[in-house]
Amino acid sequence: MSRFFTTGSDSESESSVSGDELVTKPVGGNYSKPILLSEDEEDTKRVVRSAKDKRFEELTNLIKTIRNAMKIRDVTKCLEEFELLGKAYAKAKSIVDKEGVPRFYVRILADLEDYLNELWEDKEGKKKMNKNNAKALSTLRQKIRKYNRDYETHIANYKQNPEQSDEDEEKKSRDSEGSTSSSSEEEEDEDGVSAAAFLKKKDAGGESRSRYLKKMEAEDDEEEESDEDEDWGSSDSDTDSESDEDEGKYTSLASKFLKKDEDKKGGEKKREEKAKKKHDRKSRRYEEEEEDNEGGEWEKVKGGVPLVKEKPKMFAKGTEINHAVVVKKLNEILQARGKKGTDRAAQIELLQLLVSIANENNLGVALEVKIKFNIIASLYDYNPNLATYMKPEMWQKCLGCIEELLDILFAHPEIFIGENIVEESENLANAEQPLRVRGCILTLVERMDEEFTKIMQNTDPHSQEYVDHLKDEGRVCGIIARLQRYLQEKGTTEELCRVYLRRVLHTYYKFDYRAHRRGAGEPRAGGEEEEGEEEDSAALMERLCKYIYAKDRTDRIRTCAILCHIYHHALHSRWYHARDLMLMSHLQDNIQHADPPVQILYNRTMVQLGICAFREGLIKDAHNALLDIQSSGRAKELLGQGLLLRSLQERNPEQEKVEKRRQVPFHMHVNLELLECVYLVAAMLLEIPYMAAHEFDARRRMISKQFHHQLRVGERQPLLGPPESMREHVVAASKAMKMGDWRTCHRFVVNEKMNGKVWDLFPEADKVRAMLVRKIQEESLRTYLFTYSSVYDSISMEILADMFELDLPTVHSIISKMIINEELMASLDQPTQTVMMHRTEPTAQQNLALQLAEKLGNLVENNERVFDHKQGSYGGYFRDQKDGYRKGDGGYLRRGGYRQQERGSNY
């Protein structure tokens, strides 16, 4: 019988074990032929292990390899083993879900992350690394940080109580031992170790190797390791003695694999004693720490580099405070500027304290100016990120500092400041010589203006906060005006051009109501008379821009000044000044090469030009100026007033941030609905008469694609109700104008809803509405004549004047222009004041015949071309450059021939 199934006496078991042949009885049936096993196979002891032990042993082996690689700083090996560890952990996922994440796995994740952070912060060590290790360090650091996000709570618990790992592992191994056989722990070779014992030993070894834990824990773990080594030695001796007694104790291998209760109880007692010793050591160490704390005021702090550095002391007691000492202290404070961990708010406070110390000791105004320059620069550096804007308290502090600095400069004109002054040549103390301070007040004011723009860009425009911030623009403009006066006395032409441009940029988009009322002849209020005569914005813009045109050497400043000047002219309805300046500057030829902010300013100027032309009644010029912006469908983006959702998908986050920084603040926006309405109404006044004149022309062109698109959208609607949106009002007005009904058209364009949305937004709203009514009447008259000229033999101009409520000279002028331009085939009879129609226009049937003839001509032309490839000739047709192919002997004529013949007979 097999040694696994024998139940006989000791002698039988001895004889079966000593024999060379082992006979097994398989389940399937009896086999007479015995199975021969070699001597090595006889001596091999079978170890039964659970799936948990197998998986955990695989993990611990990989962890051991990683720790060895960490000791020799082999990051490449760490990366390879970490990837294998992740795969092995994924295989053990089912066991982990039941048992929980093992502490030794959490420990290696925490230790590995700490180890990589140490290597990363070691700048010198990174330089000495080879290329592969440096690359592996970067890769592994990213992977471990991403991987550890799923185990943040486990790692945090482990770092709070690292000693708990041994106890947890003991409990887990104790629970798992009930399901495993006794041979997995008791019968092992001198070199072999069970999985549970291996885990305990490994965890203890991990505790002893504590490069990453505290020193106190390291000392305790060394004691632990020595205790456990003794346990291991005793267990080895036990296994030796047990192996000697195996033959006498067990009668079969089956009974040998069953665990005895006594052995189980003995193992539990050992573990309990070990846990008790560990608990005693912890409590003893805690009592020692309490005793130490009683002796003095000690505070337990977390490790790591402190983020906030200690404030440097100003001056020691008894130090003589003079210029050299204060400048030295100023340089010490400035050396920490921009460094990691510097408290920027504390740095600003120190500089302000330094100003007060300098003033108390009467060290002079020049030194105060120098420190003020650095305070303002530190306020700008408070937010290192370009995308962020200044906090309100910092912004108010910045404005106050700049105003104080300007006060000092105006009060002490003997101080010379400039960015070209070298620090060695500064004169801060010697009053006999001119005081010289390094710094540029213009740069600080320009940066202040940019910060104001960023604050307005990042504030909700519909909130009260935006209004509060907008009130600061008065202070900003006042600072720029004061700086302008200061630089007019001491600045260079280049600096004057820069500050003039800042003044222009804060003026060009504002409508001057006082100048408008003076131009209209309205009486001024008493407050305005008391204020005295101030310079008009038009005169101010003229003076500043002309200086820039004459003195500026950079194209960008001159280009911006020209565009702002044109915008200001257009805003105040000076159409011909604005148009002439735009045409003379030739900006439209090379504006595509300018930077994006200048292109946005150009688009805003063109839009304002178009609106100005519309207010003046120049419909064609208005349409041409607005065509490029409106036809693109991206007016919001081109004017710098927001980003389109569809275009956000084409940009990465960095490009999106750059685009947002280019946006125009809300108070400078152009109303997009007003802009679209002006464009559509202008297109309606041009397109409807043209469509009526070329109704049967197959090759007529579209003046405005967007207007035709709106017409098609209106035609596709199954149910036509009263118009609601602005576009629907324009489409309904277009349909009425097409029928010559100017009153209905007028009601759709000018009503309460349209007044509230569009027309009341103009400065002279009544004047614009009167112009609109007149244009609608004139274009409706033209459309009526185009549409119904074939019906009349003659029509009285007086009747037309009554129908469209126009005076007779206007009707006479419109019809005369139509006849001169050959748009209307008619003549005027002066005595009777009638229009005589010449009936040269083809009827509807003739128009259809002409279209059929044209299509047949195209068909014949295509057939002849195909035939030409075979025959080599065009079959009697000759090429006419103007009218295509036509037959020589009175054949068909292309479109236009009929009119030419008739026109030749009439004139």
Side-chain angles (χ1 to χ4, degrees):
M1 293 218 28
S2 170
R3 64 186 290 187
F4 292 99
F5 299 98
T6 180
T7 56
S9 63
D10 294 343
S11 59
E12 289 176 351
S13 64
E14 288 174 5
S15 63
S16 63
V17 170
S18 61
D20 292 337
E21 295 180 359
L22 295 175
V23 181
T24 61
K25 240 182 183 181
V27 180
N30 295 327
Y31 293 92
S32 59
K33 189 174 181 179
I35 298 175
L36 299 176
L37 299 175
S38 65
E39 190 174 346
D40 295 336
E41 289 174 338
E42 279 184 30
D43 296 338
T44 302
K45 295 179 181 179
R46 181 176 178 186
V47 179
V48 179
R49 292 185 299 169
S50 63
K52 173 186 171 182
D53 292 342
K54 291 179 183 177
R55 294 299 182 196
F56 281 14
E57 185 175 357
E58 183 181 2
L59 293 174
T60 49
N61 288 335
L62 291 171
I63 290 171
K64 185 177 181 181
T65 310
I66 291 175
R67 293 196 183 280
N68 290 336
M70 288 162 63
K71 290 177 184 176
I72 60 173
R73 297 171 70 94
D74 188 356
V75 188
T76 309
K77 184 69 174 175
C78 287
L79 176 60
E80 295 174 0
E81 296 299 322
F82 178 72
E83 292 174 350
L84 295 176
L85 182 66
K87 294 177 182 177
Y89 185 77
K91 290 180 183 177
K93 192 73 172 65
S94 58
I95 297 171
V96 171
D97 292 340
K98 294 178 183 177
E99 303 288 336
V101 181
R103 293 278 292 187
F104 66 86
Y105 190 73
V106 175
R107 182 188 296 113
I108 188 60
L109 294 180
D111 292 350
L112 185 58
E113 187 174 11
D114 294 341
Y115 171 74
L116 294 174
N117 289 336
E118 286 180 13
L119 290 182
W120 188 263
E121 292 171 2
D122 185 10
K123 304 296 181 184
E124 297 297 327
K126 280 172 68 178
K127 291 179 183 177
K128 295 178 183 178
M129 276 188 184
N130 59 29
K131 187 177 180 181
N132 293 334
N133 268 350
K135 187 176 180 181
L137 174 62
S138 177
T139 307
L140 182 55
R141 183 168 173 266
Q142 293 176 0
K143 284 189 175 184
I144 193 72
R145 288 170 67 183
K146 185 177 179 181
Y147 191 80
N148 283 2
R149 288 175 194 165
D150 299 332
Y151 304 95
E152 286 179 352
T153 55
H154 298 285
I155 293 173
N157 294 335
Y158 162 71
K159 288 185 177 180
Q160 288 177 1
N161 193 4
E163 295 88 354
Q164 192 182 353
S165 58
D166 285 340
E167 298 174 4
D168 292 346
E169 292 302 327
E170 286 167 8
K171 289 177 183 176
K172 290 182 181 179
S173 62
R174 199 181 308 149
D175 296 337
S176 63
E177 279 172 359
S179 60
T180 56
S181 64
S182 62
S183 62
S184 63
E185 186 177 295
E186 295 174 358
E187 291 196 6
E188 49 191 22
D189 294 330
E190 292 178 359
D191 298 330
V193 184
S194 67
F198 181 84
L199 289 177
K200 284 197 293 180
K201 185 175 180 182
K202 188 63 198 172
D203 292 348
E207 293 289 339
S208 64
R209 126 298 11 7
S210 78
R211 180 178 173 180
Y212 318 100
L213 303 179
K214 299 178 182 177
K215 291 184 178 180
M216 291 296 295
E217 292 173 2
E219 292 171 3
D220 293 340
D221 290 333
E222 286 174 6
E223 294 176 8
E224 253 182 86
E225 190 175 7
S226 62
D227 294 340
E228 290 182 0
D229 288 340
E230 293 174 4
D231 294 339
W232 278 106
S234 61
S235 64
D236 290 340
S237 61
D238 291 342
T239 51
D240 292 338
S241 61
E242 285 172 3
S243 62
D244 294 334
E245 297 172 359
D246 272 347
E247 293 181 0
K249 196 179 282 187
Y250 299 103
T251 57
S252 66
L253 281 177
S255 61
K256 187 176 181 180
F257 274 95
L258 298 175
K259 192 168 183 178
K260 297 277 186 171
D261 292 338
E262 294 82 1
D263 297 337
K264 186 175 181 181
K265 290 178 182 177
E268 288 179 357
K269 285 181 181 178
K270 287 182 182 179
R271 293 188 195 94
E272 287 175 0
E273 290 174 1
K274 194 188 297 180
K276 191 175 181 181
K277 286 180 184 178
K278 195 171 187 181
H279 182 70
D280 293 340
R281 278 199 303 272
K282 283 184 188 176
S283 59
R284 197 165 53 246
R285 187 179 65 197
Y286 182 74
E287 290 172 1
E288 290 173 1
E289 288 179 358
E290 290 292 329
E291 290 174 2
D292 293 341
N293 290 339
E294 289 174 3
E297 294 183 359
W298 293 94
E299 185 181 358
K300 194 170 183 180
V301 297
K302 293 183 179 179
V305 182
L307 294 177
V308 180
K309 294 185 178 178
E310 187 181 349
K311 292 181 182 179
K313 293 180 181 179
M314 271 299 170
F315 301 105
K317 288 183 179 180
T319 305
E320 182 184 357
I321 297 176
N322 53 26
H323 290 84
V325 172
V326 173
V327 171
K328 183 180 179 182
K329 179 57 67 176
L330 175 64
N331 291 329
E332 285 179 11
I333 297 172
L334 294 179
Q335 281 175 0
R337 180 179 169 189
K339 290 185 179 179
K340 186 179 179 182
T342 303
D343 188 352
R344 299 182 182 88
Q347 196 175 29
I348 295 169
E349 291 175 5
L350 288 174
L351 290 172
Q352 290 173 340
L353 180 60
L354 197 61
V355 169
S356 61
I357 292 173
N359 290 334
E360 288 173 4
N361 293 273
N362 298 322
L363 296 181
V365 183
L367 186 59
E368 183 181 358
V369 169
K370 181 176 178 64
I371 301 174
K372 289 276 185 186
F373 270 117
N374 289 293
I375 290 174
I376 298 170
S378 299
L379 287 169
Y380 291 146
D381 289 344
Y382 188 78
N383 288 327
N385 191 358
L386 283 175
T388 56
Y389 60 99
M390 292 179 75
K391 295 180 181 178
E393 58 271 12
M394 289 294 173
W395 168 246
Q396 296 298 330
K397 198 179 290 185
C398 177
L399 289 179
C401 284
I402 293 177
E403 288 173 343
E404 291 173 6
L405 186 58
L406 284 172
D407 291 338
I408 296 172
L409 292 177
F410 275 110
H412 299 275
E414 69 275 6
I415 300 176
F416 291 94
I417 60 170
E419 56 187 350
N420 298 325
I421 297 174
V422 187
E423 289 188 1
E424 289 78 12
S425 65
E426 283 183 329
N427 179 22
L428 304 176
N430 190 0
E432 296 176 358
Q433 296 179 359
L435 297 175
R436 295 163 59 86
V437 180
R438 175 180 172 81
C440 182
I441 183 67
L442 176 59
T443 305
L444 296 180
V445 173
E446 285 179 336
R447 178 69 188 273
M448 175 204 68
D449 195 21
E450 292 170 3
E451 290 293 337
F452 177 71
T453 304
K454 281 201 289 187
I455 288 172
M456 304 311 293
Q457 286 173 343
N458 291 278
T459 308
D460 181 13
H462 306 292
S463 64
Q464 182 62 33
E465 185 183 2
Y466 190 90
V467 179
D468 296 337
H469 286 316
L470 192 57
K471 292 176 183 177
D472 291 333
E473 192 185 15
R475 292 181 68 183
V476 172
C477 294
I479 289 172
I480 294 173
R482 293 182 67 191
L483 178 63
Q484 174 189 332
R485 291 198 300 272
Y486 178 78
L487 292 179
Q488 282 172 352
E489 298 174 2
K490 296 192 174 184
T492 62
T493 56
E494 182 184 352
E495 290 176 335
L496 270 177
C497 288
R498 286 164 60 188
V499 74
Y500 280 179
L501 180 63
R502 289 289 160 184
R503 188 83 185 274
V504 165
L505 288 173
H506 279 277
T507 308
Y508 81 97
Y509 63 89
K510 297 173 182 174
F511 188 81
D512 193 348
Y513 285 96
R514 284 184 292 184
H516 174 68
R517 285 196 293 268
R518 283 199 294 270
E522 296 180 11
R524 291 178 293 179
E528 292 183 5
E529 292 178 359
E530 292 175 2
E531 289 175 5
E533 290 292 332
E534 292 184 5
E535 190 177 16
D536 270 352
S537 63
L540 176 66
M541 290 288 294
E542 190 80 15
R543 180 169 60 84
L544 298 180
C545 292
K546 281 187 176 180
Y547 184 88
I548 293 175
Y549 301 157
K551 303 291 184 180
D552 179 59
R553 296 179 182 177
T554 63
D555 290 337
R556 190 181 187 279
I557 293 179
R558 186 168 59 249
T559 302
C560 290
I562 292 172
L563 290 172
C564 292
H565 203 183
I566 295 169
Y567 190 104
H568 193 264
H569 280 315
L571 187 63
H572 292 83
S573 301
R574 296 188 287 270
W575 158 253
Y576 293 102
H577 291 84
R579 184 199 63 181
D580 295 343
L581 190 55
M582 175 63 80
L583 294 177
M584 286 189 296
S585 64
H586 296 284
L587 287 177
Q588 60 272 23
D589 298 336
N590 52 9
I591 193 64
Q592 67 272 13
H593 302 301
D595 53 342
V598 178
Q599 290 185 13
I600 289 173
L601 181 57
Y602 174 81
N603 293 337
R604 285 166 53 80
T605 304
M606 289 302 297
V607 161
Q608 201 60 243
L609 262 178
I611 296 174
C612 175
F614 183 82
R615 285 199 305 268
E616 296 299 310
L618 305 170
I619 303 301
K620 187 172 287 187
D621 291 325
H623 182 269
N624 292 337
L626 300 177
L627 180 62
D628 290 337
I629 301 294
Q630 287 298 123
S631 61
S632 65
R634 299 186 301 126
K636 185 178 182 181
E637 190 174 352
L638 293 175
L639 295 175
Q641 298 181 188
L643 300 178
L644 299 178
L645 292 176
R646 63 170 180 243
S647 61
L648 288 177
Q649 302 170 356
E650 304 169 3
R651 297 186 181 91
N652 56 36
E654 288 300 321
Q655 290 175 334
E656 185 179 342
K657 288 180 183 177
V658 173
E659 289 286 339
K660 284 183 178 178
R661 285 201 294 270
R662 292 176 185 152
Q663 300 303 301
V664 178
F666 183 76
H667 64 280
M668 299 170 62
H669 281 192
V670 178
N671 192 316
L672 294 177
E673 190 171 17
L674 179 144
L675 178 64
E676 186 178 9
C677 181
V678 166
Y679 175 75
L680 290 177
V681 170
M684 176 188 75
L685 296 174
L686 294 174
E687 192 79 62
I688 297 300
Y690 181 82
M691 290 170 63
H694 301 82
E695 185 176 2
F696 300 104
D697 192 349
R699 295 189 178 183
R700 72 165 182 255
R701 61 182 179 83
M702 287 188 294
I703 297 176
S704 171
K705 290 184 180 179
Q706 188 181 5
F707 178 73
H708 277 273
H709 173 70
Q710 297 300 331
L711 287 181
R712 286 194 296 271
V713 169
E715 290 171 359
R716 284 200 297 266
Q717 289 182 355
L719 180 63
L720 286 177
E724 295 180 0
S725 66
M726 177 270 299
R727 294 174 181 173
E728 291 176 356
H729 276 86
V730 176
V731 170
S734 302
K735 292 178 180 177
M737 180 183 280
K738 201 171 183 182
M739 303 301 295
D741 187 359
W742 74 272
R743 289 182 179 84
T744 306
C745 178
H746 172 238
R747 281 198 302 272
F748 281 129
V749 173
V750 181
N751 52 50
E752 290 184 3
K753 190 178 286 187
M754 291 292 286
N755 287 340
K757 286 185 176 181
V758 180
W759 309 124
D760 288 342
L761 302 178
F762 285 105
E764 298 175 334
D766 295 332
K767 185 179 175 182
V768 173
R769 281 191 283 263
M771 179 274 299
L772 263 178
V773 173
R774 187 174 182 83
K775 287 293 177 183
I776 289 172
Q777 290 170 337
E778 293 176 359
E779 297 304 325
S780 298
L781 171 61
R782 284 166 45 83
T783 306
Y784 184 83
L785 291 174
F786 284 134
T787 306
Y788 300 110
S789 61
S790 59
V791 178
Y792 290 99
D793 288 328
S794 63
I795 186 169
S796 172
M797 286 192 289
E798 293 180 357
I799 295 176
L800 291 175
D802 292 337
M803 283 176 63
F804 295 96
E805 296 184 6
L806 293 168
D807 52 349
L808 198 58
T810 304
V811 175
H812 185 277
S813 173
I814 292 171
I815 296 175
S816 299
K817 286 179 183 176
M818 293 174 67
I819 294 172
I820 292 170
N821 294 330
E822 297 184 357
E823 295 174 336
L824 183 66
M825 296 298 110
S827 59
L828 288 175
D829 187 8
Q830 290 291 342
T832 59
Q833 293 290 313
T834 56
V835 183
M836 307 295 297
M837 301 296 176
H838 293 162
R839 307 299 295 270
T840 59
E841 292 297 322
T843 61
Q845 186 176 4
Q846 289 171 336
N847 274 317
L848 291 173
L850 285 173
Q851 291 179 21
L852 178 61
E854 185 174 358
K855 291 179 180 177
L856 289 174
N858 290 333
L859 180 63
V860 170
E861 183 179 340
N862 291 332
N863 288 337
E864 291 296 334
R865 284 178 180 172
V866 173
F867 187 72
D868 180 55
H869 290 296
K870 298 180 180 179
Q871 301 297 326
S873 65
Y874 275 113
Y877 290 86
F878 63 90
R879 177 73 176 171
D880 186 359
Q881 292 182 355
K882 292 183 180 179
D883 281 331
Y885 297 99
R886 68 168 71 193
K887 205 164 185 178
D889 298 326
Y892 73 92
L893 288 170
R894 288 179 67 85
R895 179 180 61 83
Y898 176 83
R899 292 192 182 186
Q900 290 168 5
Q901 288 178 349
E902 290 291 329
R903 197 175 294 164
S905 64
N906 288 326
Y907 293 99

